């Protein structure tokens, strides 16, 4: 098999894996949370059932919905698929990876978010615009923090390409970077904010004053809503995969190591399950913040990331 | 095929003359709107296109020079078309093509200045900008610079019957002249003591560190006043809204770039060497300007003011890139210097496209609704689908989203920032990455601002019932907008051609070209340093998103259905969902106002419990206005009062003053 064909194959496998399994990851997270709250939970497969139900329903659109509103779910979904195909999950030989580096990854998330915000403003209800405003606010503060988080690993790897970073961190001789620890904490904080989790937002609420993401998609129904929910799940999974690739990349298969693939799939699944459980614990033990505390939270993430970078520059480790 | 040897420089000079003739032709029938807008402006488009082609061709050619027998007896006008000026002339020609197309359908009667006169001012402005870029001696440069300032002043006050517009124009003229003094002094310092005011003479002059730094700082001040750098930005948010929209587009999209050209010309071409701390000054000033601009843009309630503040932001980003170029160049890292310079120039070009596009779109909105306050607009995508769709392209581009053009230049600039560690100065190694954080914060807030801009104007429900009847833009206006929107897409998806052209600009200035690397991996992959370090394939990106949308759409239709039911939006169980329940522009900007409160000067009036007519108001003002401008004005008044003691309006007193002066001079000169 030619190397190019091989990389396309592994690209497709990996993208499909993330896209198909993302709702299961969300289901697993919810299940863990239910257990922690002493409920029995709806099961890991519940997100698939919800999506199936939504796909079968008739879409209800507001009378004044413009094409922006109808296009937004598709744009969000394909942005997230694109993002999922950039992050190395089981191996680092990906056909699509030269097309976008970490900065472009941040750009994809931003594109999806801007479309979501514009669509929310399209109907012209109080909730939609409020959600758009809050979402853009949180994003505009978390984006710099996210990029600062990327700084340390990319200084270590001397590359902004995610594959090169993951390769460098996973297959270089084992070394512990204190700077990466700072970056990892900051990354978890950004992950919580960007994915609308507690303490910035609460994904299971529809209480007017507190919701951000749910307010954004309040006007959506049926297949549009299903696509958005799916995109949200892919986003969360991609973020977790990103954290795994940057901070605990061991087990990632290198180019052409087919015999390593089962190991790396298992390693990834295990790490993802652990990440989901950890997120569930984090969400159970913390409470949602007021929206105007969010800048402090994200400011802290930003400072931690900067500290990580300065540690690297000063200590070289 | 052999063509007669027409040099690009001849074509450029020819277009300048052609534009001047068109301008004078406007005076033939100054009140005849159809003649001016349907005949003269489309003819102007042809000139702009010729200019673009000629300049783009001459970027790759060796510099051409000419001397015109005009000007001072011992200092005729020197013209020179080298790669740097050719690039900026191409930028001008490209943007003007779109703006003149738009103008052909834009101007109306009854705006104050007669259409024919406006046509003259417009074309004098264009010609003066080209001459600024062509000038090869300080005299012609200053003449063209001042002509540019004065002609644009007259364009700004086109609706001169409105007092606010007159005072905005005055502020603009004042700051333009302050800047001109700075530039004049910078040239004076740069030319040394040789007495040779041609740029060639200046290149030969030997300067000490002190005088070179003085010249740089004076030039930064002078050109900064035109570009809108902090704290000389005050004219932008006044003059841009006052001017007719095509003029705002010209000023913001093109004229600000002449200031950037001036900075580059003086720093990298005329001055014999560059010191690293100049770069730090420019970098810090640029980043502060960018953050300031975007924060104020977030709280604006008037669409053209919002765009003016956004221009301040983008100029800040460009100047930060300029500073980064100086730093790398001074530390002899030509590869990164070239990368930063390419990013800077590319951002200039991008800004010319998307900012002109958005200013023109506000012009169409203004004509259709007669409303410039964001709080009275809304839902225009329904009644103005063309303008809505084209402005959406500009909005996404200016927000720096892939795969459009704004992202490419920000990506390039971030690459330059990210690979800065390795400089021999440890403090800079810390400072520069922090600078990139400021840059990212500014561009993330820019996305916030642009969502506000587009969402409040075009989306939602009309906040005023009359808006539903707003008419879409006419054919000429659409063509102008479409030209610029297409540029936003093409510059985003195919950046390679322009970057290859920019090689010819960076090579003489910083002695390195990144295009060779960028082109090594074919035209699909943009990898300015090396593919292992960083790469970006915008076309794959666009295809990925477009393909994803298409496949998902078809798959959903195939496996499920495409049924849609239209109904009223969810009204939370209440019966009256009114357009007033949407966020206003103030509401949308409120979180930014609250988080960054120390940066604004906010005046609030809270309603009291016993007020007969309770009202709430909050106005946001610029702190610099009160820190800098108001004290200067007060000081000026006080000085005038002192001087006015001498003034009594009696002739014998003035004769006495003359007499005393004469005696004093005779005594002194004895």
């Amino acid at each position: 098999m030619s190397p190019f064909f091989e990389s396309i194959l592994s690209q497709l496998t990996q993208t499909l894996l993330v896209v198909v399994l993302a709702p299961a990851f969300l289901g697993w997270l919810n299940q863990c949370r239910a257990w922690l709250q002493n409920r029995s939970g709806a099961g890991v497969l519940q997100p698939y059932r919800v999506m199936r139900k939504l796909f079968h329903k008739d879409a209800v659109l507001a009378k004044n919905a413009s094409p922006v509103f109808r296009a937004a779910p598709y744009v969000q979904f394909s942005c997230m698929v694109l993002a999922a195909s950039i992050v190395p999950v089981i191996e680092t030989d990906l056909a699509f990876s030269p097309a976008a580096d970490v900065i472009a990854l941040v750009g994809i998330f931003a594109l999806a978010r801007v479309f979501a915000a514009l669509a929310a403003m399209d109907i012209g209800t109080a909730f939609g615009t409020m959600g758009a405003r809050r979402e853009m606010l949180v994003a505009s503060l978390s984006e710099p923090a996210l990029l600062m988080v990327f700084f340390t690993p990319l200084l270590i790897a001397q590359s902004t390409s995610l594959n090169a970073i993951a390769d460098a961190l996973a297959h270089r001789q084992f070394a512990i970077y204190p700077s990466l620890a700072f970056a990892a904490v900051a990354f978890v904080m950004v992950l919580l904010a960007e994915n609308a989790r507690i303490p910035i937002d609460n994904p299971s609420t529809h209480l007017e004053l507190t919701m951000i993401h749910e307010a954004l998609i309040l006007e959506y129904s049926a297949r549009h809503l299903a696509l958005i929910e799916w995109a949200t799940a892919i986003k969360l999974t991609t973020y977790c995969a990103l954290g795994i690739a940057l901070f605990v990349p061991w087990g990632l298969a290198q180019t052409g190591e087919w015999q390593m693939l089962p190991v790396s799939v298992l390693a990834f699944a295990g790490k993802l399950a652990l990440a989901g459980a950890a997120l569930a614990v984090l969400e159970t033990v913390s409470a949602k913040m007021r929206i105007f505390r969010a800048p402090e939270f994200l400011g802290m993430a930003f400072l931690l990331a900067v500290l990580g970078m300065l540690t690297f520059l000063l200590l070289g480790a | 095929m052999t063509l007669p040897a027409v040099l690009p420089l001849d074509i450029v000079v020819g277009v300048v003359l052609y534009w001047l003739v068109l301008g004078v032709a406007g005076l033939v029938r100054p009140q005849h709107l159809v003649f001016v807008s349907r005949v003269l402006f489309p003819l102007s488009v042809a000139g702009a296109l010729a200019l673009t082609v000629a300049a783009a061709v001459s970027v790759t050619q060796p510099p051409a020079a000419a001397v015109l027998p005009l000007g001072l007896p011992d200092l005729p006008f020197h013209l020179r078309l080298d790669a740097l000026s050719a690039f900026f002339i191409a930028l001008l020609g490209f943007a003007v093509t779109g703006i003149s197309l738009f103008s052909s359908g834009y101007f109306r009667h009854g705006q104050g200045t007669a259409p024919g006169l406006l046509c003259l001012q417009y074309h004098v402005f264009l010609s003066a900008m080209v001459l600024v870029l062509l000038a090869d001696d300080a005299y012609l440069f200053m003449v063209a610079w001042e002509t540019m300032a004065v002609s644009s002043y007259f364009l700004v006050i086109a609706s001169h019957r409105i007092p606010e517009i007159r005072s905005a124009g005055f502020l603009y003229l004042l700051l333009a002249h302050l800047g001109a003094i700075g530039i004049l002094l910078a040239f004076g310092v740069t030319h040394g003591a040789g007495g040779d005011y041609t740029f060639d003479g200046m290149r030969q002059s030997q300067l000490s560190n002190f005088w070179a730094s003085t010249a740089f700082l004076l030039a930064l001040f002078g050109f900064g006043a035109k570009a809108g750098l902090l704290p000389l930005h005050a004219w932008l948010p006044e003059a841009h809204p006052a001017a007719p929209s095509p003029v705002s587009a010209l000023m913001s999209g093109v004229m600000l770039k002449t200031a950037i050209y001036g900075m580059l010309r003086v720093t990298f071409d005329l001055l014999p060497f560059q010191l690293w701390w100049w770069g730090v000054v420019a970098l810090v000033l640029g980043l502060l300007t960018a953050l300031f601009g975007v924060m104020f843009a977030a709280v604006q309630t008037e669409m053209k003011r919002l765009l003016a503040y956004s221009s301040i932001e983008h100029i800040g980003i460009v100047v930060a890139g300029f500073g980064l170029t100086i730093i790398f160049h001074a530390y002899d890292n030509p590869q990164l210097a070239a990368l930063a310079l390419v990013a800077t120039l590319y951002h200039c070009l991008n800004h010319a496209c998307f900012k002109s596009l958005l200013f023109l779109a506000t012009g169409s909105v203004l004509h259709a609704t007669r409303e410039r306050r964001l709080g009275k607009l809304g839902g225009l995508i329904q009644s103005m689908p063309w303008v809505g769709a084209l402005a959406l392209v500009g909005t996404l581009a200016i927000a720096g989203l892939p795969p459009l053009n704004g992202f490419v230049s920000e990506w390039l600039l971030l690459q330059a920032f990210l690979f800065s560690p390795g400089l021999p100065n440890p403090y800079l190694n810390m400072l520069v990455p922090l600078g990139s954080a400021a840059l990212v914060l500014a561009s993330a807030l820019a996305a916030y601002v642009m969502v506000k801009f587009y969402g409040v104007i075009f989306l939602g429900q009309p906040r005023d019932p009359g808006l539903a009847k707003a008419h879409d833009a006419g054919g000429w206006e659409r063509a102008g907008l479409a030209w610029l929107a297409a540029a936003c897409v093409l510059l985003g998806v195919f950046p390679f051609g322009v970057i290859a052209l920019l090689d010819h600009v960076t090579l003489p200035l910083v002695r390195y070209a990144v295009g060779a690397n960028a082109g090594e991996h074919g035209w699909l992959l943009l990898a300015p340093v090396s593919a292992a370090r960083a790469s970006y394939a915008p076309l794959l990106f666009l295809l990925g998103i477009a393909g994803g949308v298409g496949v998902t759409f078809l798959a959903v239709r195939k496996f499920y259905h495409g049924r849609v039911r239209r109904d009223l939006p969810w009204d939370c169980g209440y019966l009256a969902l009114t357009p007033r329940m949407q966020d206003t522009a103030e509401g949308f900007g409120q979180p930014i106002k609250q988080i960054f409160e120390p940066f604004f000067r906010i005046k609030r009036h809270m309603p009291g419990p016993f007020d007969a007519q309770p009202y709430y108001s909050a106005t946001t003002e610029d702190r610099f206005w009160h820190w800098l401008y108001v004290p200067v004005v007060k000081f000026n008044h006080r000085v005038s009062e002192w001087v006015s003691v001498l003034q009594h309006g009696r002739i014998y007193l003035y004769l006495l003053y003359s007499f005393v002066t004469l005696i004093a001079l005779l005594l002194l000169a004895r």
Side-chain angles (χ1 to χ4, degrees):
Chain A
M1 235 182 329
S2 74
F4 179 68
F5 185 69
E6 225 170 77
S7 68
I8 288 209
L9 195 68
S10 71
Q11 175 74 70
L12 284 178
T13 324
Q14 146 170 340
T15 309
L16 223 62
L17 191 75
V18 175
V19 170
V20 172
L21 289 185
F25 176 64
L26 199 62
W28 164 247
L29 204 162
N30 288 337
Q31 185 62 46
C32 287
R33 217 162 47 160
W35 283 331
L36 283 167
Q37 291 164 353
N38 218 0
R39 296 185 281 120
S40 53
V44 173
L45 298 181
Q46 182 62 14
Y48 294 103
R49 293 185 203 114
V50 171
M51 270 168 32
R52 186 165 158 268
K53 175 189 79 182
L54 287 173
F55 271 124
H56 280 289
K57 284 190 166 188
D58 282 11
V60 183
L61 288 180
K63 284 210 165 90
N64 60 338
S66 75
V68 174
F69 186 81
R70 299 185 70 170
Y74 296 98
V75 174
Q76 284 175 67
F77 181 75
S78 66
C79 278
M80 288 314 154
V81 174
L82 207 61
S85 57
I86 297 170
V87 180
V89 172
I90 47 176
E91 71 161 337
T92 57
D93 177 32
L94 299 177
F96 196 70
S97 86
D101 60 354
V102 278
I103 303 173
L105 183 69
V106 177
I108 303 177
F109 288 135
L111 182 65
R113 181 165 50 234
V114 164
F115 262 94
L118 287 178
M121 294 184 81
D122 187 41
I123 307 297
T125 60
F127 276 137
T129 45
M130 183 196 73
R133 156 163 50 100
R134 291 181 170 175
E135 173 93 354
M136 292 310 292
L137 174 74
V138 171
S140 63
L141 298 170
S142 68
E143 226 178 81
L146 182 61
L147 222 80
M148 288 315 273
V149 167
F150 288 145
F151 253 43
T152 315
L154 70 85
L155 283 178
I156 293 174
Q158 280 297 308
S159 170
T160 62
S161 150
L162 264 173
N163 277 347
I165 295 174
D167 235 1
L169 294 177
H171 303 295
R172 196 178 275 185
Q173 70 187 62
F174 187 75
I176 292 189
Y177 291 98
S179 49
L180 279 185
F182 283 112
V185 176
F187 179 78
V188 172
M189 295 170 83
V190 172
L191 183 151
L192 292 174
E194 287 258 306
N195 287 287
R197 316 298 301 182
I198 289 175
I200 296 294
D201 189 7
N202 188 349
S204 52
T205 185
H206 276 96
L207 190 63
E208 292 90 336
L209 294 176
T210 60
M211 59 186 179
I212 301 177
H213 186 75
E214 293 299 317
L216 207 62
I217 58 172
L218 200 62
E219 279 299 323
Y220 276 112
S221 59
R223 58 176 183 273
H224 300 132
L225 185 60
L227 281 174
I228 291 176
E229 298 284 0
W230 198 351
T232 314
I234 300 174
K235 185 177 182 186
L236 182 63
T237 317
T238 307
Y239 257 87
C240 290
L242 188 61
I244 290 170
L246 291 182
F247 304 111
V248 281
W250 303 290
L252 210 57
Q254 246 173 331
T255 310
E257 288 182 329
W258 284 96
Q259 66 280 13
M260 272 287 284
L261 274 189
V263 181
S264 75
V265 169
L266 279 180
F268 178 70
K271 284 186 268 188
L272 203 59
L274 277 179
L279 276 179
V281 173
L282 264 180
E283 290 196 10
T284 312
V285 298
S286 52
K288 190 188 163 309
M289 294 178 175
R290 283 183 59 205
I291 179 85
F292 282 111
R293 297 287 302 282
E296 292 170 30
F297 181 80
L298 290 166
M300 204 161 88
F302 178 77
L303 282 183
L304 279 172
V306 171
L307 266 182
M309 187 195 70
L310 291 185
T311 317
F312 179 77
L313 289 176
L314 288 174
L315 305 179
Chain B
M1 191 171 72
T2 53
L3 287 169
V6 181
L7 294 172
L9 180 58
D10 299 339
I11 300 178
V12 172
V13 175
V15 170
V16 170
L17 291 177
Y18 171 71
W19 271 344
L20 287 177
V21 169
L22 283 185
V24 175
L27 291 184
V28 176
R29 303 185 65 183
Q31 296 294 347
H32 198 292
L33 183 70
V34 175
F35 168 66
V36 170
S37 62
R38 295 291 192 271
V39 178
L40 294 182
F41 275 102
L43 285 175
S44 163
V45 174
L49 270 178
L51 192 69
T52 316
V53 174
V57 167
S58 68
V59 169
T60 58
Q61 291 178 357
V67 179
L68 295 187
L70 296 165
L72 297 179
D74 57 343
L75 188 61
F77 285 167
H78 292 72
L79 301 179
R80 186 159 176 270
L81 186 67
D82 63 359
L84 180 65
S85 40
F87 169 73
F88 276 93
I89 291 175
L91 179 156
L92 180 146
F94 192 86
V96 168
T97 306
I99 297 170
S100 287
L101 265 176
F102 182 90
S103 305
S104 307
Y106 182 79
F107 289 112
R108 306 277 197 274
H109 266 303
Q111 288 187 327
T113 308
L117 196 55
L118 211 59
C119 173
L120 175 67
Q121 292 158 359
Y122 182 91
H123 287 101
V124 169
F125 183 38
L126 294 185
S127 309
M129 284 195 285
V130 177
L131 284 180
V132 164
L133 300 171
L134 275 184
D136 198 34
D137 65 77
Y139 180 67
L140 173 60
F141 189 93
M142 290 314 296
V143 168
W145 187 263
E146 290 290 283
T147 312
M148 180 176 92
V150 171
S151 53
S152 55
Y153 164 74
F154 281 115
L155 286 168
V156 166
I157 58 159
S159 312
H160 49 76
R161 298 218 165 80
I162 303 168
E164 288 85 25
I165 287 183
R166 286 200 303 271
S167 67
F170 176 71
L171 181 68
Y172 167 53
L173 199 63
L174 196 69
L175 279 170
H177 278 93
L178 267 183
I181 294 171
I183 298 168
L184 196 63
L185 291 177
F187 282 141
V189 173
T190 312
H191 100 291
D196 187 358
Y197 277 97
T198 61
F199 283 176
D200 256 338
M202 292 185 188
R203 286 182 195 107
Q204 311 302 331
S205 64
Q206 303 293 323
L207 293 176
S208 65
N209 271 2
F210 174 76
W211 286 114
S213 305
T214 312
F216 172 78
L217 291 178
L218 281 170
L220 191 65
F221 172 84
F223 291 116
K226 185 62 95 186
L229 268 188
L230 230 54
L232 301 168
H233 60 280
W235 64 271
L236 271 123
E238 304 298 327
H240 282 339
S245 289
V247 177
S248 316
L250 267 187
M251 288 174 70
S252 184
V254 185
M255 189 184 73
L256 301 187
K257 308 305 174 318
T258 63
I260 302 298
Y261 162 80
M263 289 182 196
L264 288 168
R265 173 66 73 196
V266 170
T267 313
F268 287 104
D269 191 16
L270 301 187
L271 289 175
F273 52 85
Q274 292 81 29
L275 300 178
W276 65 270
W277 63 264
W278 301 356
V280 177
V281 172
L283 178 67
V284 171
L285 210 56
L287 289 174
L288 287 179
T289 306
L291 284 176
F292 170 90
V294 75
M295 272 178 211
F296 271 81
V299 297
Q300 293 310 309
T301 55
E302 203 234 276
M303 55 182 177
K304 288 177 82 177
R305 273 181 91 89
L306 183 146
L307 289 181
Y309 275 110
S310 155
S311 287
I312 296 178
E313 181 223 338
H314 284 276
I315 282 299
I317 292 177
V318 167
V319 172
F322 165 65
L324 207 59
T325 314
I326 301 179
I327 293 177
F328 290 135
H329 188 57
Y331 279 120
D332 212 19
N333 190 338
Q335 192 180 21
L336 287 181
L339 181 59
L341 187 59
V342 165
T344 307
L345 294 173
Y346 207 79
H347 201 69
C348 284
L349 182 59
N350 290 340
H351 185 244
C353 295
F354 50 60
K355 190 51 68 66
S356 305
L357 170 59
L358 291 181
F359 263 123
L360 295 180
T362 60
S364 295
V365 170
L366 206 58
H367 267 179
T369 64
R370 298 172 191 285
E371 189 58 67
R372 52 174 71 226
R373 285 167 297 175
L374 289 169
K376 302 278 176 190
L377 294 165
L380 287 179
I381 199 171
Q382 312 282 353
S383 46
M384 307 176 74
W386 274 93
V387 179
L390 295 170
L392 180 63
V393 176
T395 306
L396 297 177
I398 200 172
L401 298 174
L404 296 176
N405 61 351
F407 180 76
V408 176
S409 47
E410 280 179 18
W411 187 83
L412 288 169
L413 194 56
L414 272 176
Q415 294 296 344
F417 266 109
L418 292 185
F419 292 115
S420 60
L423 293 174
N425 186 330
Y427 294 109
L428 279 187
N429 278 345
M430 307 272 158
L431 176 83
V432 173
L434 283 183
S436 74
L439 179 70
V440 176
L441 180 61
S443 63
L445 283 172
Y448 186 100
V449 170
M450 291 333 289
V451 166
K452 166 179 166 169
F453 173 82
Y454 192 81
V456 172
I457 295 179
F458 290 101
L459 302 176
Q461 299 175 33
R463 289 179 177 78
D464 193 276
L467 294 181
K469 291 192 286 290
H471 59 85
D472 204 347
W476 289 103
E477 298 187 17
R478 277 182 216 171
L481 293 173
W483 173 264
L484 293 166
C488 288
V489 176
L490 292 179
L491 284 173
V493 179
F494 303 105
F496 317 100
V498 178
I499 288 176
L501 268 188
L502 284 175
D503 276 359
H504 299 277
V505 183
T506 59
L507 208 54
L509 294 188
V510 295
R511 292 184 290 285
Y512 193 85
V514 292
N517 281 329
E520 194 178 306
H521 307 279
W523 52 272
L524 203 57
L525 202 61
L526 182 63
V529 182
S530 72
R533 265 195 157 178
S535 58
Y536 167 55
L539 184 64
L540 277 184
F541 216 96
L542 179 67
L543 289 179
I545 292 175
V549 169
V551 167
T552 323
F553 184 77
L554 292 177
V556 169
R557 290 289 155 114
K558 171 132 183 60
F559 293 116
Y560 298 100
H561 57 84
R563 289 195 297 274
V564 160
R565 207 147 49 79
R566 293 270 182 175
D567 213 325
L568 291 172
W570 167 236
D571 55 8
C572 309
Y574 295 97
L575 285 180
L577 182 74
T578 71
R580 289 201 57 195
M581 290 176 183
Q582 305 170 86
D583 259 11
T584 55
E586 288 91 341
F588 208 89
Q590 186 262 352
I592 300 291
K593 215 190 294 197
Q594 182 155 351
I595 291 171
F596 299 105
E597 188 161 356
F599 297 95
F600 302 110
R601 184 187 161 97
I602 302 173
K603 279 192 197 148
R604 277 205 183 84
H605 174 88
M606 299 296 246
F610 304 110
D611 287 359
Q613 282 177 322
Y615 73 98
Y616 169 81
S617 84
T619 51
T620 317
E621 289 174 5
D622 187 346
R623 281 194 181 279
F624 281 100
W625 189 254
H626 294 268
W627 284 345
L628 184 68
Y629 290 85
V630 171
V632 168
V633 170
K634 276 188 186 155
F635 176 74
N636 202 7
H637 268 286
R638 207 165 302 148
V639 172
S640 331
E641 273 170 21
W642 291 337
V643 173
S644 71
V645 172
L646 296 176
Q647 306 268 7
H648 288 278
R650 298 195 186 127
I651 288 187
Y652 72 87
L653 267 180
Y654 292 114
L655 285 176
L656 189 65
Y657 294 154
S658 311
F659 183 66
V660 171
T661 316
L662 200 65
I663 298 290
L665 282 177
L666 282 174
L667 283 176
L668 278 175
R670 190 160 51 94

